[in-house]
Amino acid sequence: MKIAKKDWFFIILIVAVLGIFFAISGEVTTKKVPNDEQHKRFYAMVAAGGLDGMKEADKHCPECHNETGGIPFPSKHPLKPKDGPMSCHLCHKYQATK
Ligand code: HEC
Ligand code: HEC
């Protein structure tokens, strides 16, 4: 069968759609917020306030995670507190708690 020009258009469209599916279905590999002594108060905020709790918790992350004496971010970290308000929870998910 000879593939006509308009068929190529559809083939490329399908490949692109599959590509997008593949790109967004990848498993989340960014480290989760540890559920330990340092972070348990944030788990409590999330348990109490859901998404609002997460947003509230984000304001406190730079108390420890900062570039000036705190726990530094990896050098290739996508953004730093000095870049403005940060939504840590968008990338660093909370672990499922029982
Ligand atoms: C009281 C200080 C403190 C605060 C506040 C804090 N952290 Fe941490 N965080 C730490 C310390 C210490 C470590 C390294 C040891 C550990 O895993 O607890 C750490 C490690 C991490 C890690 C890396 C975990 C890993 O697997 O390597 C992530 C992600 C993280 N914190 C996210 C957050 C987020 C998001 C917030 C705000 C909701 C936050 N932290 C607030 C002290 C803090
Ligand atoms: C746009 C996504 C994004 C946002 C927003 C973000 N991070 Fe990250 N963070 C990453 C990625 C990607 C890494 C690389 C290591 C990984 O896979 O966890 C990382 C690494 C870290 C690490 C080191 C983990 C380790 O031990 O290797 C810490 C701590 C951390 N982030 C804390 C935070 C805190 C606190 C905030 C909010 C102030 C924040 N991040 C916001 C994407 C993000």
Side-chain angles (χ1 to χ4, degrees), residues 31-34 36-39 41-42 54 57-65 71 88-89 92 94:
K31 286 188 174 142
K32 293 187 175 165
V33 180
D36 59 10
E37 241 359 83
Q38 315 284 343
H39 302 87
R41 66 182 162 117
F42 304 119
M54 285 184 197
D58 282 342
K59 295 179 189 160
H60 299 280
C61 312
E63 288 168 17
C64 298
H65 296 283
I71 301 143
C88 314
H89 74 271
H92 298 284
Y94 286 81

Side-chain angles (χ1 to χ4, degrees), residues 3 5 13 16 18 24 29-30 39-40 50 63 65 67-68 70 86 91:
I3 300 173
K5 216 176 186 177
L13 187 76
L18 288 177
I24 61 176
T29 53
T30 305
H39 302 87
K40 70 177 184 194
E63 288 168 17
H65 296 283
E67 302 287 84
T68 54
M86 299 196 39
C91 300

Side-chain angles (χ1 to χ4, degrees), residues 44-80:
M45 284 182 187
V46 174
L51 185 59
D52 287 336
M54 285 184 197
K55 290 177 181 166
E56 190 56 37
D58 282 342
K59 295 179 189 160
H60 299 280
C61 312
E63 288 168 17
C64 298
H65 296 283
N66 58 64
E67 302 287 84
T68 54
I71 301 143
F73 294 94
S75 56
K76 60 174 175 53
H77 199 258
L79 68 172
K80 307 275 165 72

